[in-house]
Amino acid sequence: MLGLCRRVGGSLGKRRFFPECCSKTRRIQQLGYCNQQESVQDVIASIIKESKVHNSINNNRTSKIPNTAVGINEERIKTERNGDIPSAYSPTDIASDLEIETAEPVKSESKLKNSSPSHSARKILKALGNLTDEEAETLAFIKSVKIFQPLTSELEENGEKFREFVEGLKVRNLPSVTKIISATQTDYQKYLLEQWKLKMIEKLGLQGFEEYQKETFAKGHKLHSAIQQRLSEEKADIPPNIEGYWRSLQPVIPAIEHVFSLEDHVQHPHLHYRGIFDCLAIYRGCPCVIDWKTSSKPKPTLRDTYDYPLQMVAYLGALNQSDYLIEKGIPPVNSAALIVVYENGDPAHIHFLDAAKCQTYWRKWLDKLHQYWLLRGNEAS
């Protein structure tokens, strides 16, 4: 971060500190980290209250290991994660921050009090405490960017400072959407994934687990290739091991009226991340970003899809802020469709995100993006 000090208005001089009683607290509150960076125990404790609504269901789910599947490599096509982890009860279709973090209810909260912050939370708090006022203002630009509206002249000036900040980190390649989500996982998410891996290795053996991963990659690649062929009006090649997914997808295909792009790259010009979206098309009369996800377990509500909507709004924001749509003559896109297809052939679940839902998830995505660049800057300082 010292590089930023030299580029933006010369030397910033000595760091300015607020009075001891409110210095770090005020800055953390202003950046919206008060409730997001709780300890793992606090996160779980807050879910327990909601989970009591359907406690009989959750008691059967508590001990389950997430059936997370490894997806396609984003450098070639895309990284995909199928986390079949039970979610807490919520009356709304929008996943809460806690549900996106795949937190899971527990049976007892007797040991959850007076807990210290997790390792991830401590890193965030330390990075926030190290910020100068100028650096904090530069990173605050991230949360001011809208998903659909262009930047104002004032924001363009702040955006230039943020560009200099990113360049000062000497990033070789801009981070992908899935890399940002992975890098901002909580300790609890990492723990769940590690426990699932250990369970699978115990069941299949190390070699068997590696073969399972390769087979998952291959299935995802073949499915995406078949979808591309079908939407390009070519004869689709459907090998036996993806026939279930293909049957699951069939009710969706007729609703896709016009395809603009398939498996294409996009980059956000102001927030400096990149990604590969599956499809950009007219779906049920609306221009949509469409994403295909595979699952072995039902995901009937948007809440069940955890951080998948974050990926979609990240692509949507990049499409609207870049010249991609204008250069290709595509109308404005303000909605997305997440299509979850099933291995057993059950009809796919279609989760439609209108403009309002997209804006909600966009704010959650910006929180993760802010956290990512905050940590990257702190590592470089």
Side-chain angles (χ1 to χ4, degrees), residues 41-321:
Q41 291 85 354
D42 290 337
V43 168
I44 299 175
S46 65
I47 293 177
I48 293 175
K49 296 178 182 179
E50 292 181 331
S51 67
K52 289 179 181 178
V53 177
H54 62 158
N55 190 50
S56 60
I57 297 176
N58 281 336
N59 282 343
N60 295 328
R61 293 180 175 181
T62 302
S63 61
K64 291 185 179 180
I65 298 295
N67 184 21
T68 309
V70 184
I72 307 166
N73 188 329
E74 181 167 346
E75 297 300 327
R76 298 179 56 188
I77 294 184
K78 198 169 191 185
T79 301
E80 190 174 70
R81 294 186 295 114
N82 290 323
D84 295 316
I85 304 170
S87 60
Y89 172 80
S90 173
T92 175
D93 194 36
I94 297 292
S96 68
D97 291 335
L98 301 182
E99 289 167 328
I100 287 175
E101 298 299 345
T102 66
E104 188 177 40
V106 295
K107 294 180 180 179
S108 173
E109 53 182 318
S110 59
K111 297 182 180 181
L112 301 182
K113 297 180 180 180
N114 301 322
S115 58
S116 59
S118 67
H119 176 68
S120 298
R122 287 197 299 270
K123 287 176 64 178
I124 293 293
L125 295 174
K126 179 180 178 181
L128 288 169
N130 290 338
L131 286 179
T132 65
D133 291 346
E134 190 77 25
E135 291 165 345
E137 182 180 351
T138 298
L139 287 176
F141 162 77
I142 294 172
K143 296 190 177 184
S144 64
V145 177
K146 306 298 183 183
I147 185 172
F148 302 125
Q149 293 86 353
L151 296 185
T152 62
S153 56
E154 180 181 355
L155 284 180
E156 285 180 354
E157 181 179 346
N158 295 335
E160 181 63 21
K161 293 180 180 180
F162 180 63
R163 181 187 64 79
E164 293 177 351
F165 167 80
V166 174
E167 289 179 351
L169 298 178
K170 302 187 184 304
V171 178
R172 181 176 300 179
N173 296 309
L174 290 182
S176 67
V177 171
T178 48
K179 180 178 181 179
I180 292 168
I181 291 175
S182 177
T184 54
Q185 285 181 328
T186 63
D187 290 340
Y188 191 63
Q189 281 181 293
K190 296 172 185 177
Y191 168 78
L192 288 178
L193 182 58
E194 187 62 28
Q195 290 299 305
W196 171 79
K197 288 180 178 178
L198 292 174
K199 186 78 171 181
M200 293 297 290
I201 291 173
E202 181 181 356
K203 179 181 178 180
L204 304 174
L206 181 58
Q207 183 177 354
F209 179 63
E210 292 175 349
E211 291 175 354
Y212 168 79
Q213 287 182 304
K214 291 179 181 178
E215 182 181 0
T216 304
F217 282 132
K219 284 182 181 180
H221 179 74
K222 290 175 182 176
L223 178 63
H224 277 72
S225 296
I227 294 173
Q228 280 188 290
Q229 291 170 342
R230 174 64 178 81
L231 295 180
S232 300
E233 299 183 351
E234 301 175 4
K235 183 178 180 180
D237 179 24
I238 313 298
N241 62 348
I242 66 165
E243 286 181 350
Y245 293 129
W246 191 250
R247 289 197 309 273
S248 179
L249 183 66
Q250 293 316 295
V252 180
I253 298 297
I256 300 176
E257 302 171 11
H258 181 78
V259 177
F260 299 111
S261 302
L262 291 167
E263 300 286 357
D264 209 355
H265 295 257
V266 68
Q267 177 177 318
H268 200 292
H270 310 303
L271 296 177
H272 307 292
Y273 63 83
R274 61 184 175 85
I276 304 175
F277 60 87
D278 286 344
C279 180
L280 183 57
I282 301 293
Y283 176 72
R284 293 183 177 176
C286 298
C288 283
V289 172
I290 302 175
D291 219 30
W292 325 105
K293 297 296 183 185
T294 61
S295 179
S296 60
K297 293 185 179 181
K299 295 186 183 294
T301 70
L302 191 59
R303 290 172 48 248
D304 297 324
T305 63
Y306 307 109
D307 59 21
Y308 291 158
L310 299 185
Q311 298 178 28
M312 303 197 69
V313 297
Y315 304 141
L316 192 58
L319 285 168
N320 280 283
Q321 293 290 345

Side-chain angles (χ1 to χ4, degrees), residues 18-26:
F18 294 100
E20 184 178 355
C21 63
C22 61
S23 58
K24 292 184 180 180
T25 301
R26 181 178 300 174

